[in-house]
């Protein structure tokens, strides 16, 4: 059974700091890995999708890497801003129906 | 283009009552999903559908039923609500399987359900 773990569970940083969120998964047989953002009381917004054949994806200040063999992914946020405060979730897709989520990292960026 | 829309957004039920959550997507997606999100448990798949007229069980299907009579709609029903079904429910959709496994999954805004 696929298990996804995100460390740390919560993170508080000052504005402007670069930071890394971690995601690990137990079964390397994945189709892709997706990072989401969830604001309080809202749904999930897709940030980055990395296919199993890819090593990284970038979007603006966000960079996600994938090391499938070791079962790890990182989300790098450059020059963090208070508007980046949210919960970040990673999810791995192991079939058309199976998307397994981590419990998320709650990020607070302090002005 | 509304994406994935869920109704209602909030609902309070008494134990034993029934209700239906409606999910609609306008992206012509084949796959649709219902998840529940609980503190300390993360997001768990309840039921999913791979196309119009099809449904299948996910991780936590007990106490729920679903129907996909039209491609754009996916309904989640609670026949006899229990306090353990108090949760936030999310609908999601994506393009089909096979080579479309790599496509992004899109989520609705959530439906907050309280069973008293």
């Amino acid at each position: 059974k696929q298990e996804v773990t995100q460390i740390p569970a919560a993170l508080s940083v000052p504005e402007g700091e670069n930071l890394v969120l971690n995601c690990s998964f137990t079964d390397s047989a994945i189709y892709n890995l997706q990072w989401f953002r969830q604001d309080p009381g809202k749904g999930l917004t897709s940030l980055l999708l990395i296919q199993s054949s890819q090593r990284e994806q970038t979007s603006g200040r966000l960079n996600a890497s994938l090391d499938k063999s070791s079962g790890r992914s990182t989300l790098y946020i450059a020059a963090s801003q208070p508007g980046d405060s949210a919960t970040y979730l990673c999810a791995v897709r192991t079939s058309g129906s199976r998307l397994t989520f981590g419990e998320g990292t709650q990020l607070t960026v302090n002005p | 283009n509304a994406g994935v829309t869920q109704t209602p957004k909030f609902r309070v039920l008494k134990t034993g009552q029934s209700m239906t959550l409606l999910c609609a997507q306008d992206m012509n997606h084949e796959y649709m999903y219902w998840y529940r999100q609980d503190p300390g448990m993360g997001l768990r798949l309840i039921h999913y559908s791979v196309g119009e007229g099809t449904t299948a069980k996910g991780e936590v299907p007990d106490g729920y039923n679903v129907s996909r009579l039209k491609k754009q709609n996916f309904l989640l029903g609670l026949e006899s609500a229990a306090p353990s079904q108090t949760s936030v429910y999310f609908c999601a959709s994506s393009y089909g399987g096979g080579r479309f496994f790599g496509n992004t999954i899109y989520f609705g805004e959530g439906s907050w359900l309280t069973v008293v």
Side-chain angles (χ1 to χ4, degrees), chain B:
Chain B
N1 188 342
V4 180
T5 304
Q6 295 180 226
T7 53
K9 191 169 178 68
F10 300 97
R11 184 75 186 267
V12 178
L13 284 179
K14 293 182 179 179
T15 298
Q17 285 186 320
S18 64
M19 76 158 294
T20 300
L21 297 176
L22 171 64
C23 177
Q25 52 92 6
D26 61 3
M27 296 174 281
N28 202 33
H29 284 168
E30 290 292 335
Y31 279 37
M32 295 187 75
Y33 316 79
W34 276 107
Y35 287 88
R36 60 177 290 174
Q37 186 177 36
D38 303 287
M41 305 290 287
L43 277 134
R44 294 177 292 169
L45 182 65
I46 304 171
H47 285 281
Y48 65 98
S49 168
V50 301
E52 181 178 315
T54 75
T55 62
K57 295 180 180 180
E59 299 173 66
V60 288
D62 294 341
Y64 305 95
N65 57 75
V66 288
S67 65
R68 183 98 181 268
L69 298 180
K70 294 182 179 180
K71 186 177 183 180
Q72 64 267 34
N73 296 335
F74 195 29
L75 278 63
L76 178 70
L78 286 72
E79 291 187 346
S80 180
S84 61
Q85 294 178 303
T86 294
S87 186
V88 184
Y89 292 86
F90 288 100
C91 178
S93 71
S94 69
Y95 285 108
R99 63 189 175 94
F100 293 113
F101 281 170
N103 285 77
T104 301
I105 184 167
Y106 296 88
F107 280 80
E109 292 272 288
S111 296
W112 273 253
L113 175 65
T114 301
V115 183
V116 297

Side-chain angles (χ1 to χ4, degrees), chain A residues 13-84:
Chain A
V13 301
E15 181 177 3
E17 190 163 300
N18 302 325
L19 58 100
V20 174
L21 307 181
N22 297 292
C23 172
S24 62
F25 47 96
T26 56
D27 184 352
S28 62
I30 65 171
Y31 284 98
N32 58 51
L33 183 145
Q34 199 163 349
W35 282 93
F36 294 89
R37 169 186 174 137
Q38 185 175 26
D39 292 286
K42 298 291 186 181
L44 281 69
T45 301
S46 179
L47 297 173
L48 289 165
L49 173 70
I50 310 177
Q51 305 295 351
S52 62
S53 59
Q54 297 175 324
R55 297 285 291 183
E56 65 178 320
Q57 281 285 336
T58 298
S59 176
R61 293 183 293 107
L62 304 179
N63 176 278
S65 68
L66 174 64
D67 183 343
K68 199 173 73 164
S69 61
S70 67
R72 293 181 182 180
S73 176
T74 61
L75 179 66
Y76 175 82
I77 303 177
S80 58
Q81 302 170 358
D84 294 330

Side-chain angles (χ1 to χ4, degrees), chain A residues 84-105:
Chain A
D84 294 330
S85 297
T87 296
Y88 291 80
L89 296 142
C90 72
V92 295
R93 193 160 196 177
T94 51
S95 74
S97 62
R98 187 67 63 189
L99 192 68
T100 305
F101 285 84
E103 291 195 37
T105 294

